Amino acid sequence: MVDAKALGKSLTVIVTVELDRERLDLVDNFKRAMRAATEVTQCYMVTGDADFVLIVAVDDVEAFDVFVKTKLYTNPNVRKFKSMIALDRVKFEPRVLV
């Protein structure tokens, strides 16, 4: 596991995505696109107001703008999305306690 900041990815953005239609093929297409997006370090299909939550690691705001324009605005099944810029990572533990 490598620290994103060590690679110059100093901006972490949490993005909630709401899809327009939840047909299986369209959901699978979105999943495939997020797996292929190098900026997306984590992608969760969730319940509630959003359909997906993304963790996006980029160099700066301009790089995030490129991500939005090339990966979200171009996807015809993305109804809307909201982004939150992380100011401080208070806790991160990629493990499960047994």
Side-chain angles (χ1 to χ4, degrees), residues 15-19 22 44-53:
V15 183
T16 60
V17 178
E18 185 180 329
L19 299 181
E22 295 184 17
Y44 301 93
M45 187 174 181
V46 298
T47 61
D49 293 335
D51 296 308
F52 287 88
V53 174

Side-chain angles (χ1 to χ4, degrees), residues 22-90:
E22 295 184 17
R23 279 191 358 226
L24 183 58
D25 61 326
L26 297 174
V27 170
D28 286 344
N29 286 342
F30 183 80
K31 288 179 181 180
R32 207 171 5 265
M34 293 305 102
R35 282 189 204 104
T38 57
E39 304 91 341
V40 177
T41 61
Q42 298 175 61
C43 176
Y44 301 93
M45 187 174 181
V46 298
T47 61
D49 293 335
D51 296 308
F52 287 88
V53 174
L54 313 175
I55 307 299
V56 178
V58 289
D59 296 341
D60 50 31
V61 173
E62 290 79 15
F64 180 66
D65 185 50
V66 170
F67 167 77
V68 165
K69 289 177 179 172
T70 60
K71 305 299 190 310
L72 299 180
Y73 283 145
T74 59
N75 188 320
N77 197 33
V78 172
R79 177 183 299 154
K80 65 181 176 180
F81 63 91
K82 295 179 183 177
S83 59
M84 298 169 277
I85 294 175
L87 299 176
D88 185 20
R89 179 165 52 181
V90 177

